[in-house]
Amino acid sequence: WVSEAYTKKEAESQTKNMMEKIMQNPKSPFHHFKIKKELYVFSGMGQKHAVFQKNLLVFWISTTPEIFDRVLNYYLSHSFPNLPK
């Protein structure tokens, strides 16, 4: 899942607000949160997940645990152009 914000600051705010709500929700199916800088990694529903922001884009990556690191590294190491409005 990818979302585009109008500004980098808005993307950062959206990421932080979304993750705070997920982590504070006692009914959330997600657990084992690890936060490193602006990268949120967690588990739930049989998958591993990562949420992070790059420029104007907010990413939510979900995969099986076996391929998670490779998929996450791909998205972290590539640059993605901002989409035209």
Side-chain angles (χ1 to χ4, degrees), residues 40-54:
Y40 299 82
V41 176
F42 50 99
S43 299
M45 302 181 350
Q47 297 185 320
K48 283 189 77 174
H49 311 269
V51 172
F52 56 94
Q53 174 265 329
K54 287 179 89 169

Side-chain angles (χ1 to χ4, degrees), residues 15-42:
T15 304
K16 184 178 176 184
N17 290 339
M18 177 175 62
M19 290 310 303
E20 284 177 357
K21 288 178 182 180
I22 290 171
M23 291 187 298
Q24 293 172 2
N25 182 350
K27 294 182 180 182
S28 173
F30 304 112
H31 50 86
H32 293 99
F33 291 94
K34 296 177 185 166
I35 305 164
K36 191 174 191 177
K37 295 185 181 181
E38 297 298 316
L39 171 65
Y40 299 82
V41 176
F42 50 99

Side-chain angles (χ1 to χ4, degrees), residues 37-74:
K37 295 185 181 181
E38 297 298 316
L39 171 65
Y40 299 82
V41 176
F42 50 99
S43 299
M45 302 181 350
Q47 297 185 320
K48 283 189 77 174
H49 311 269
V51 172
F52 56 94
Q53 174 265 329
K54 287 179 89 169
N55 296 316
L56 301 181
L57 302 177
V58 178
F59 291 80
W60 181 315
I61 307 296
S62 299
T63 73
T64 60
E66 296 81 22
I67 65 168
F68 176 78
D69 289 333
R70 285 179 284 165
V71 173
L72 178 60
N73 287 333
Y74 172 84

